[in-house]
Each structure stands twice: as structure tokens, then as C-alpha cells.
Amino acid sequence: MYSSSNHSNGYHPHHQHEDNRFGQAHSHSKDRVRRYTRGGATSTNSRSRDFRDSHGHAGPSSASALRVSEQHQKPATDFDMAYFHSYAHVGIHEEMIKDRVRTETYRTAIMQHQSAIAGKVVVDVGCGTGILSIFCAQAGAKRVYAVDASEIALQANEVVKANNLSDTVIVLHGRVEDVEIDEEVDVIISEWMGYMLLYESMLGSVITARDRWLKPGGLILPSNATLYMAPVTHSDRYGESIDFWRNVYGIDMSAMLPLAKQCAFEEPCVETITGENVLTWPHVVKHVDCYTITIHELESVTTRYKFKSMMRAPLHGFAFWFDVEFSGPAVSPTNNHTLSLLVDNNPIDGSQRKKRANPNEALVLSTAPEDPPTHWQQTMIYFYDPIEVEQDQLIEGSVTLSQSKENARFMNIHLEYA
């Protein structure tokens, strides 16, 4: 987490401001987050997943013909090209595919919606190795446009050939913003979620594909997503990274503490916690309806929160996680009763959730601390020094997540807490 000059840490009786950043501030820097394991924190290039910024195609009969349209979106930036290049590495795709919670949930979702996919036209936004496109073909899709701006699209095309699916799956190498598809599509599928849900800003490409090609009443998988936050206590993590320096083989190395805190906690940390670390019910930071959300809404997200601690414990910071739901197409409300049902079934931004509202038992992929771990883990923002809180003590403030003006794939985090 990269701090502005007015960054402050530790406890003050009023409130704190923290300005942090996913990624770095200068164009020559690599996109970084902190990945924490028991051996310590390591810097990694941006997260993995079977997708990238993507793209479409020029017609059902030609797998090689590609017509590029320059009129829809601004050209790719150097940041975009570096991002696409990072997804050419096989290790990223291996990590994602080996995440069984992720991959099997997507496959189950495709089979649950087989009636909406069989005989229909599908776009896979950011296809990566092509695994989701192949799942759709196995579910009976008439045609699948597998689109990806990374060089991994070349390998995806070979995978499709090896599985004798070239007549169904058309692999397109380029951005969804640049490519023409000469037909409307029935289904959009994408694994677009980044750390903290919105990091990497790939959802914008899904929105672009939706607005350009999706038929009215078409299906988007996943259909909605919710980002949560909660205050956490994590003494073991603090001890391993910080308190360790107080006594090193009998030597007082506490002079290392300021540097240790900076190195351990100056960036958001991607790591796995458990439900026992969470001090309160989570707060809904942002609910995303993939059928209606706009690109403009993603530029900045702000919420105010108020938590009541369930126990007396040191407060070490805040955790963020998300879930996505695979439900059917949005239904246009025809009366007030229907509208109220739609509102009631979705979490409201700024609300607290005691139990996931899922009245239709739609399939959910969750990265919550109490659920099976995924490669997304949870995203932690740690304080340099813990704050002791009492049971029932209020913790309140606000958080703003905004796209960096320099590089929209980076995220600036402004956190206030009291």
C-alpha cells in the first residue's frame, strides 16, 4: 500500500486518514500487491485469472478473419499493454485453473444455465486459456467467441483445436473494445474479478461487451457481485512480522520496528484470514449488478460504515472480500411489488449483512474468510500499530476506492476511521 505524504498511523483519539494504493505511482514501476504467506510477504505481479481485457470477432464462419474497429474506444495505453503481457505467462493461468472453488463453480454455473446456453451465441470476455469457452461448448453453445488481448490467446486457439472445437469456439486475439462481432450474443461469461473485486478494472470490458452485443434479456455470468469490508484482529500476523524484531536471538532489534512496519504494511496485503479474525458483521461497500452497472460508476466508490465490535481485542486493520452470484437475466419490473422484490433480494450499498440474501438459492462464488479459500484470498489494510477496542465499541468512518487517473487498473484507497 503506497502512502501519500499525509499518511498517519497508530492511534489518535479522533480519526485517521489513510491514503493507499494498489499498484505504484510511476509509469516505470511494476504493478504490485503484497502476497503474504507464513514465510513472510512477497511482492507479486497483479493477480491471476482466466481472462484479460478482451475482445470480439467478425463473423461465425471465419476463425482467422479479424476486423478491428477504431471508432468505439480509445487505444490501449502502455499500462494496458503491460497488463496484457503479464497474462501471457502460464503460471498465472495455472494458479487460476488449480483454484478448484473458482473453476468448478464456473463450470457448475454453466451447466445450471445450460438451457440458456445450448444452441446460443456466447462471448467469453478475457478467455485466457479458453477453459470457460470450452465449458460453454460442452454445454451445447452454437458458437463461442473466446476473446483475449494477451498472447495467451495463441495457446487458447491450440487448446481449442486439440479438443476438436474449432467449429464452435472462435478465438480472437485483441481487446473487446476494438473488435467487431457481426451478430448479437445471447450470453456473456467472464471471470473478471480482481483482488478486492475491482482491482485491475476488467469489469469495464464486460460492460463494453454487454452494451455492444448482448441481446435484450440475455444472460451475464456472473450476474452480480458484492464487495464487503470488516474490521479484523490478527495478532499472529502482527507478531510474525513486527514483534519478532523485539528480541532476535537475545538481541534487542527494536530499532528495526519502524522499517518493519513500513515494509509489512505500506501496501495492501493479499492473504488468507479466518472468520475468527473478523470483529463484526461485514459492511457492503458496493453491490454490482452486471446487467445495469456503468463504466462511470467504477471510477469512484465511496461508502460510510459503522461497526460494533463483538469482542474486546486489538484492531489491526480492515479486511475486504467479495462474492459473485450466477443468476438468470434481469427481469424488467412491471409493478411496484416486483420492484420491491428485486430491491429486497439485493444487498444495499452501505448496509451490514448478517446472512447472505439468496432467496432463489442462486449459485454463489464466495471469497469470504469463513468459506473455502480461493486464490483471491482476502485483501488486508493494516494499521502500523494496533488499536485496542472494547466489546460493543463503535468503529466508524468511510472508505473511497477510486481508479488511478494515471492508470485505471490501479486503485487508490482513502480510508478514514474513528
Side-chain angles (χ1 to χ4, degrees), residues 103-114 135 326 363:
T103 306
E104 291 183 354
T105 301
Y106 266 84
R107 181 168 62 177
T108 300
I110 289 166
M111 297 314 297
Q112 281 190 358
H113 291 89
Q114 186 171 11
F135 288 162
F326 299 84
L363 185 64

Side-chain angles (χ1 to χ4, degrees), residues 58 73 367 382:
Q73 300 286 337
T367 67
Y382 283 107

Side-chain angles (χ1 to χ4, degrees), residues 122-123 125 185-190 206 209-210 214 219-222:
V122 179
V123 169
V125 177
V185 306
D186 304 282
V187 181
I188 293 174
I189 190 165
S190 181
V206 177
R210 179 199 71 196
L214 187 65
L219 176 65
I220 303 177
L221 296 177

Side-chain angles (χ1 to χ4, degrees), residues 10-17 387 393-397 416-418:
Y11 176 71
H12 295 283
H14 299 296
H15 64 265
Q16 309 260 321
H17 301 264
I387 303 167
Q393 184 169 350
L394 292 180
I395 304 164
E396 54 188 322
E416 297 184 21
Y417 54 94

Side-chain angles (χ1 to χ4, degrees), residues 301-315:
V301 173
T302 298
T303 185
R304 293 201 62 82
Y305 60 82
K306 180 182 286 187
F307 298 105
K308 181 182 286 189
S309 180
M310 294 179 178
M311 66 189 81
R312 184 178 187 272
L315 169 63

Side-chain angles (χ1 to χ4, degrees), residues 182-200:
D182 285 349
E183 59 183 328
E184 290 185 313
V185 306
D186 304 282
V187 181
I188 293 174
I189 190 165
S190 181
E191 198 276 78
W192 54 265
M193 300 83 72
Y195 294 128
M196 211 167 167
L197 186 63
L198 299 176
Y199 179 55
E200 295 188 26

Side-chain angles (χ1 to χ4, degrees), residues 115-130:
S115 61
I117 293 172
K120 302 298 178 60
V121 179
V122 179
V123 169
D124 179 359
V125 177
C127 67
T129 57

Side-chain angles (χ1 to χ4, degrees), residues 233-246:
T233 184
H234 204 346
S235 296
D236 290 345
R237 168 77 158 93
Y238 196 85
E240 290 173 6
S241 299
I242 306 303
D243 291 336
F244 159 79
W245 293 103
R246 298 185 190 279

